[in-house]
Amino acid sequence: MLEALDAQKKHVLELTKQHDAINVLKRDVEAAQRAFEGVSTRSMQARLESQSVQTNIAVLNPASLPTEPSSPKFCLTC
């Protein structure tokens, strides 16, 4: 009878260890899933931002055509 009780205690201890190990693995999986979701969200956001055609550039003053050419400069007195 005592041997059966000792065997049962050992079995319960082993099951408790396995249960603890499973809980650790579950937490690891949940943490990995959260990390994956974060990276996936950032990747999707970066992809959408790269496809956007919006810029922060604006024309302040439009350019005007020059009245005289700036080059080539010829030396008339040489």
Side-chain angles (χ1 to χ4, degrees), residues 2 19 30-31 44 62 69 76:
L2 290 175
H19 183 36
E30 290 169 356
M44 185 182 305
L76 298 177

Side-chain angles (χ1 to χ4, degrees), residues 46-64:
R47 193 175 317 120
L48 289 174
E49 288 174 357
S50 70
Q51 293 174 351
S52 177
V53 292
Q54 296 179 352
T55 63
N56 58 354
I57 299 173
V59 176
L60 299 177
N61 295 321
S64 59

Side-chain angles (χ1 to χ4, degrees), residues 14-31:
E14 183 62 32
L15 289 176
T16 303
K17 286 180 186 178
Q18 289 176 358
H19 183 36
D20 291 343
I22 288 172
N23 285 335
V24 168
L25 292 174
K26 281 182 182 179
R27 284 193 299 270
D28 289 347
V29 167
E30 290 169 356

Side-chain angles (χ1 to χ4, degrees), residues 62-69:
S64 59
L65 291 174
T67 56
E68 297 178 10

